[in-house]
Short mmCIF file of all heavy atoms in Angstrom, two decimals:
data_model
loop_
_atom_site.label_atom_id
_atom_site.label_comp_id
_atom_site.label_asym_id
_atom_site.label_seq_id
_atom_site.Cartn_x
_atom_site.Cartn_y
_atom_site.Cartn_z
N SER B 123 -20.20 -87.97 4.01
CA SER B 123 -20.40 -89.23 4.69
C SER B 123 -19.07 -89.96 4.79
O SER B 123 -18.19 -89.80 3.94
CB SER B 123 -21.43 -90.11 3.98
OG SER B 123 -21.01 -90.43 2.66
N GLY B 124 -18.93 -90.74 5.85
CA GLY B 124 -17.71 -91.49 6.07
C GLY B 124 -17.51 -91.77 7.55
O GLY B 124 -18.37 -91.44 8.37
N PRO B 125 -16.38 -92.34 7.91
CA PRO B 125 -16.15 -92.72 9.30
C PRO B 125 -15.90 -91.51 10.19
O PRO B 125 -15.30 -90.52 9.76
CB PRO B 125 -14.90 -93.61 9.22
CG PRO B 125 -14.17 -93.08 8.03
CD PRO B 125 -15.24 -92.70 7.04
N GLY B 126 -16.35 -91.60 11.42
CA GLY B 126 -16.07 -90.55 12.38
C GLY B 126 -14.78 -90.77 13.16
O GLY B 126 -14.28 -89.85 13.80
N LEU B 127 -14.25 -91.98 13.09
CA LEU B 127 -13.04 -92.33 13.83
C LEU B 127 -12.08 -93.07 12.90
O LEU B 127 -12.48 -94.02 12.21
CB LEU B 127 -13.38 -93.20 15.03
CG LEU B 127 -12.23 -93.61 15.95
CD1 LEU B 127 -11.63 -92.39 16.63
CD2 LEU B 127 -12.72 -94.60 17.00
N VAL B 128 -10.84 -92.62 12.88
CA VAL B 128 -9.79 -93.23 12.06
C VAL B 128 -8.57 -93.46 12.94
O VAL B 128 -8.22 -92.62 13.75
CB VAL B 128 -9.41 -92.34 10.86
CG1 VAL B 128 -8.32 -93.00 10.03
CG2 VAL B 128 -10.63 -92.07 9.99
N LYS B 129 -7.92 -94.59 12.75
CA LYS B 129 -6.72 -94.90 13.52
C LYS B 129 -5.49 -94.26 12.89
O LYS B 129 -5.42 -94.09 11.67
CB LYS B 129 -6.54 -96.41 13.62
CG LYS B 129 -7.63 -97.11 14.41
CD LYS B 129 -7.38 -98.60 14.47
CE LYS B 129 -8.46 -99.29 15.28
NZ LYS B 129 -8.27 -100.75 15.34
N PRO B 130 -4.51 -93.88 13.71
CA PRO B 130 -3.28 -93.32 13.16
C PRO B 130 -2.65 -94.24 12.13
O PRO B 130 -2.66 -95.46 12.29
CB PRO B 130 -2.38 -93.16 14.38
CG PRO B 130 -3.33 -93.01 15.52
CD PRO B 130 -4.51 -93.89 15.18
N SER B 131 -2.10 -93.64 11.09
CA SER B 131 -1.46 -94.28 9.94
C SER B 131 -2.45 -94.76 8.88
O SER B 131 -2.04 -95.07 7.76
CB SER B 131 -0.54 -95.43 10.33
OG SER B 131 -1.25 -96.63 10.54
N GLN B 132 -3.72 -94.82 9.21
CA GLN B 132 -4.70 -95.29 8.24
C GLN B 132 -5.16 -94.17 7.33
O GLN B 132 -4.81 -93.00 7.51
CB GLN B 132 -5.89 -95.94 8.96
CG GLN B 132 -5.50 -97.19 9.72
CD GLN B 132 -6.66 -98.11 10.05
OE1 GLN B 132 -6.49 -99.32 10.16
NE2 GLN B 132 -7.85 -97.56 10.19
N THR B 133 -5.93 -94.52 6.32
CA THR B 133 -6.40 -93.58 5.32
C THR B 133 -7.86 -93.22 5.57
O THR B 133 -8.70 -94.10 5.78
CB THR B 133 -6.26 -94.17 3.91
OG1 THR B 133 -4.88 -94.39 3.61
CG2 THR B 133 -6.86 -93.24 2.86
N LEU B 134 -8.13 -91.93 5.52
CA LEU B 134 -9.50 -91.43 5.62
C LEU B 134 -10.14 -91.44 4.25
O LEU B 134 -9.52 -91.01 3.27
CB LEU B 134 -9.50 -90.01 6.18
CG LEU B 134 -10.83 -89.25 6.15
CD1 LEU B 134 -11.84 -89.89 7.10
CD2 LEU B 134 -10.61 -87.79 6.48
N SER B 135 -11.36 -91.90 4.17
CA SER B 135 -12.13 -91.82 2.94
C SER B 135 -13.49 -91.20 3.25
O SER B 135 -14.26 -91.75 4.03
CB SER B 135 -12.30 -93.20 2.31
OG SER B 135 -13.00 -93.12 1.08
N LEU B 136 -13.74 -90.04 2.65
CA LEU B 136 -15.01 -89.34 2.81
C LEU B 136 -15.65 -89.14 1.44
O LEU B 136 -14.95 -88.87 0.46
CB LEU B 136 -14.82 -87.98 3.47
CG LEU B 136 -14.32 -87.95 4.91
CD1 LEU B 136 -14.09 -86.50 5.34
CD2 LEU B 136 -15.31 -88.64 5.84
N THR B 137 -16.95 -89.22 1.40
CA THR B 137 -17.70 -89.02 0.17
C THR B 137 -18.64 -87.84 0.33
O THR B 137 -19.28 -87.69 1.36
CB THR B 137 -18.50 -90.28 -0.19
OG1 THR B 137 -17.59 -91.35 -0.47
CG2 THR B 137 -19.36 -90.05 -1.43
N CYS B 138 -18.70 -87.01 -0.70
CA CYS B 138 -19.65 -85.90 -0.76
C CYS B 138 -20.68 -86.22 -1.82
O CYS B 138 -20.32 -86.38 -3.00
CB CYS B 138 -18.94 -84.59 -1.07
SG CYS B 138 -20.04 -83.15 -1.06
N THR B 139 -21.92 -86.30 -1.42
CA THR B 139 -23.01 -86.55 -2.34
C THR B 139 -23.70 -85.23 -2.67
O THR B 139 -24.11 -84.50 -1.76
CB THR B 139 -24.02 -87.54 -1.75
OG1 THR B 139 -23.36 -88.78 -1.48
CG2 THR B 139 -25.16 -87.80 -2.73
N VAL B 140 -23.81 -84.93 -3.95
CA VAL B 140 -24.38 -83.68 -4.42
C VAL B 140 -25.75 -83.94 -5.00
O VAL B 140 -25.92 -84.84 -5.83
CB VAL B 140 -23.48 -83.01 -5.46
CG1 VAL B 140 -24.10 -81.71 -5.97
CG2 VAL B 140 -22.09 -82.76 -4.89
N SER B 141 -26.72 -83.16 -4.59
CA SER B 141 -28.07 -83.23 -5.15
C SER B 141 -28.50 -81.84 -5.61
O SER B 141 -28.01 -80.83 -5.12
CB SER B 141 -29.06 -83.79 -4.13
OG SER B 141 -29.13 -82.97 -2.98
N GLY B 142 -29.40 -81.80 -6.57
CA GLY B 142 -29.89 -80.54 -7.08
C GLY B 142 -28.99 -79.87 -8.10
O GLY B 142 -29.26 -78.74 -8.53
N GLY B 143 -27.93 -80.51 -8.49
CA GLY B 143 -26.99 -79.99 -9.47
C GLY B 143 -25.95 -81.04 -9.80
O GLY B 143 -25.69 -81.93 -8.99
N SER B 144 -25.35 -80.93 -10.96
CA SER B 144 -24.38 -81.91 -11.43
C SER B 144 -22.96 -81.46 -11.15
O SER B 144 -22.61 -80.29 -11.35
CB SER B 144 -24.56 -82.15 -12.92
OG SER B 144 -23.54 -83.00 -13.42
N ILE B 145 -22.11 -82.38 -10.73
CA ILE B 145 -20.71 -82.06 -10.49
C ILE B 145 -19.94 -81.85 -11.79
O ILE B 145 -18.78 -81.42 -11.76
CB ILE B 145 -20.00 -83.13 -9.63
CG1 ILE B 145 -20.03 -84.50 -10.32
CG2 ILE B 145 -20.64 -83.20 -8.25
CD1 ILE B 145 -19.20 -85.55 -9.59
N THR B 146 -20.57 -82.11 -12.92
CA THR B 146 -19.94 -81.87 -14.20
C THR B 146 -20.39 -80.57 -14.86
O THR B 146 -19.96 -80.26 -15.97
CB THR B 146 -20.18 -83.04 -15.18
OG1 THR B 146 -21.58 -83.16 -15.44
CG2 THR B 146 -19.66 -84.34 -14.59
N THR B 147 -21.24 -79.81 -14.20
CA THR B 147 -21.71 -78.55 -14.76
C THR B 147 -20.56 -77.57 -14.95
O THR B 147 -19.72 -77.39 -14.06
CB THR B 147 -22.78 -77.91 -13.86
OG1 THR B 147 -23.93 -78.76 -13.84
CG2 THR B 147 -23.21 -76.55 -14.40
#
């Protein structure tokens, strides 16, 4: 999830949401 459009020089921030398992496994 995150923005579909980013302007030049700016920072992209995307998040990945995990279900059905832990990212600390």
Side-chain angles (χ1 to χ4, degrees):
S123 61
L127 182 65
V128 180
K129 295 180 179 179
S131 83
Q132 296 199 151
T133 296
L134 171 67
S135 183
L136 294 176
T137 295
C138 184
T139 300
V140 179
S141 61
S144 174
I145 61 173
T146 63
T147 296

